[in-house]
Amino acid sequence: MVALPNCHRIVFLVKGFVDLENLGFFFFHFHFLLWFVEVVMGGVASSMAAKMAFFPPNPPNYTLVDDAATGLLLLDPFPHRENVDVLKLRNSRGNEIVAVYVRYPMATTTLLYSHGNAADIGQMYELFVELSIHLKINIFGYDYSGYGQSTGKPSENSTYADIEAAYRCLEKTYGAKQEDIILYGQSVGSGPTVDLAARLPHLKAIVLHSPILSGLRVIYPVKHTYWFDIYKNIDKIQYAKCPVLVIHEMQGCHAHKWVGHRKV
């Protein structure tokens, strides 16, 4: 229930048109109105933001193939590469996440890549391979729940579970250390990237490519963060302890707002 500040002033304002005998009845409905605006309308706004946030490619840009000869999981239509692992991960919400790990010889730095909207790892695969070669680092990319061949439905909390599963895989399967990991988030991928970065104090760096300030701020330039907003990056980025690089086009750029919250 929403608390009513300064009730004496409210009584003074309403006593001219509300019978004081029915004042309790009035306040009950006033409370209900505030609750309705906050909960119901807030839920509608949050739902709208979520629907605008997720556009998984349909159909996906790849299929998964179990190679009987090698026992390996392959990404069709791409040829098998000895330095690329195709993985299935189980996140904390029970969804099966598809990921790829591109290995560069002797590299210690790993880039954990959270792709943008309307994309999947089939679309990003060749870029991952080229980035690994040119930057001489390992690349780990994954599909969000409901994207590509990952199971489940996309949502804010699902993407948080997805990147957590990807990070744990890097630690347990590939022995990656937190201080050797760079988080890279593009567009909607900035949401899970910033959320994870806010909880990991020893990351090597963060790269935010066309990041969003929050879900609602994509729709309308609100000045305050509401509880029903999604991907509250503008509030979470201050908790990142490592260097942050923001990449953004100049037209309609909100990079200055990021700079105000975190040195880059």
Side-chain angles (χ1 to χ4, degrees):
M1 192 68 72
V2 179
L4 291 177
N6 207 338
C7 291
H8 292 295
R9 293 182 61 184
I10 295 175
V11 171
F12 175 78
L13 290 173
V14 302
K15 65 185 298 184
F17 59 88
V18 177
D19 186 348
L20 293 181
E21 293 181 0
N22 296 319
L23 193 57
F25 179 80
F26 168 80
F27 276 118
F28 171 80
H29 283 79
F30 187 67
H31 271 285
F32 178 79
L33 177 61
L34 291 179
W35 173 86
F36 179 84
V37 170
E38 183 177 357
V39 176
V40 179
M41 298 306 293
V44 170
S46 179
S47 177
M48 287 176 58
K51 287 182 179 180
M52 294 185 67
F54 306 112
F55 292 98
N58 188 18
N61 291 293
Y62 68 96
T63 56
L64 291 176
V65 176
D66 287 305
D67 187 25
T70 62
L72 297 174
L73 191 63
L74 304 179
L75 215 63
D76 185 63
F78 306 102
H80 171 62
R81 296 175 182 266
E82 291 295 332
N83 66 320
V84 177
D85 297 338
V86 181
L87 310 161
K88 286 184 179 180
L89 314 174
R90 184 75 64 178
N91 73 10
S92 60
R93 298 170 69 88
N95 296 333
E96 197 169 62
I97 307 306
V98 181
V100 293
Y101 179 75
V102 184
R103 186 183 299 101
Y104 189 86
M106 305 303 292
T108 57
T109 299
T110 300
L111 187 74
L112 176 50
Y113 198 114
S114 299
H115 61 67
N117 217 340
D120 58 30
I121 57 174
Q123 184 177 337
M124 306 299 297
Y125 181 81
E126 295 295 345
L127 174 62
F128 290 162
V129 173
E130 291 299 317
L131 278 176
S132 177
I133 294 172
H134 289 290
L135 299 179
K136 299 180 180 180
I137 61 174
N138 307 313
I139 304 286
F140 192 103
Y142 67 100
D143 268 337
Y144 312 123
S145 298
Y147 277 67
Q149 299 298 333
S150 295
T151 64
K153 294 183 179 181
S155 70
E156 179 188 14
N157 288 330
S158 288
T159 60
Y160 295 156
D162 299 338
I163 195 172
E164 182 75 26
Y167 176 75
R168 295 305 172 197
C169 178
L170 280 177
E171 277 192 324
K172 296 179 180 179
T173 304
Y174 297 103
K177 298 179 180 178
Q178 186 179 147
E179 55 267 27
D180 293 326
I181 295 176
I182 299 173
L183 301 186
Y184 190 113
Q186 181 177 5
S187 183
V188 70
S190 63
T193 294
V194 172
D195 183 77
L196 183 63
R199 296 181 282 114
L200 298 178
H202 304 300
L203 289 169
K204 189 167 190 174
I206 309 166
V207 180
L208 300 175
H209 181 177
S210 300
I212 62 174
L213 297 172
S214 73
L216 286 181
R217 287 174 173 88
V218 175
I219 305 171
Y220 187 79
V222 294
K223 295 182 179 180
H224 305 285
T225 300
Y226 295 94
W227 67 268
F228 51 80
D229 201 353
I230 65 173
Y231 293 135
K232 305 177 182 72
N233 294 340
I234 193 170
D235 299 322
K236 294 179 181 179
I237 192 62
Q238 62 184 309
Y239 300 110
K241 304 300 182 183
C242 62
V244 180
L245 172 65
V246 178
I247 306 172
H248 214 301
E249 63 177 328
M250 294 307 297
Q251 185 175 2
C253 179
H254 296 290
H256 64 285
K257 294 184 179 180
W258 286 97
V259 174
H261 287 262
R262 180 70 184 156
K263 294 181 179 180
V264 296

